[in-house]
Amino acid sequence: MKIRLAQQDDLNAIMRTENLCFGDERFETGVVKAFLARRDSFGLVAMNRDEVVGAAMCVCSPHYSLGRIISVAVLKEFRRRGIASALIRECEEEFVRRGFTRFALEVASDNIAAIRTYTSIGYRIEGAIKDYYSHGRNAFYMEKDLTMDGRKTKVKVS
Ligand SMILES: CC(C)(COP(=O)(O)OP(=O)(O)OC[C@H]1O[C@@H](n2cnc3c(N)ncnc32)[C@H](O)[C@@H]1OP(=O)(O)O)[C@@H](O)C(=O)NCCC(=O)NCCS
């Protein structure tokens, strides 16, 4: 399994992953296309040979000094193999290369798999957001700060 920065050529494969993982709540193709095109955002893909089996979308938010992880998805048959954790770590490395050491994300408060994934790699729930998602679903706001004592997690910068 290899993780690399996503290119526009990966758009269809990323949309397949989005569809299979999020259904109606997936991003529109144009939104993902913009994530891949803009200088203040990027995407990563996890490859199993030539197949995209996972993807993450990220946005840099200089105003808040935050690297924001917008979406992480792994195809069902490839879950529980550490792929999401590896994708998030690669997101963090890319953020560090871009000068960010604080990362944030929102997650549905009933998405146990995602919450456990994020907490297992150092994210902490810092707040709750009511009605954040469609159908009135609430979210948790989670953060990880590499510079805070006691929370430091090793991120390799190449
Ligand atoms: C959430 C998601 C990305 C996790 O992907 P993954 O590749 O399976 O995650 P990992 O293998 O890195 O899991 C890391 C750890 O998180 C925890 N975890 C992950 N999924 C879990 C589950 N279903 N139940 C309990 N714990 C879970 C475990 O501690 C796991 O380590 P372990 O397998 O050694 O016990 C995946 O379930 C998914 O794509 N879900 C649909 C899309 C989604 O909800 N994305 C998140 C919102 S943006």
Side-chain angles (χ1 to χ4, degrees), residues 21-22 70-75 78-86 106-108 111-118 120 133:
C21 294
F22 294 113
I70 304 296
S71 151
V72 183
V74 173
L75 295 182
F78 288 90
R79 289 180 191 164
R80 301 302 293 268
R81 299 187 196 181
I83 295 177
S85 308
E106 286 87 20
V107 59
N111 192 342
I112 303 301
I115 293 166
R116 290 203 174 150
T117 300
Y118 301 143
S120 75
Y133 295 103

Side-chain angles (χ1 to χ4, degrees), residues 9-73:
D9 284 355
D10 298 313
L11 186 61
N12 288 342
I14 294 172
M15 287 316 298
R16 176 176 171 262
T17 307
E18 283 280 312
N19 264 316
L20 290 168
C21 294
F22 294 113
D24 286 351
E25 293 196 310
R26 69 184 177 277
F27 284 125
E28 296 297 330
T29 308
V31 173
V32 175
K33 196 171 176 186
F35 280 139
L36 303 185
R38 290 178 56 119
R39 291 174 64 174
D40 61 353
S41 57
F42 60 91
L44 292 171
V45 283
M47 307 295 299
N48 180 47
R49 298 196 180 89
D50 289 338
E51 185 191 10
V52 170
V53 298
M57 296 298 133
C58 298
V59 171
C60 301
S61 186
H63 186 72
Y64 297 102
S65 302
L66 269 182
R68 297 189 55 220
I69 298 172
I70 304 296
S71 151
V72 183

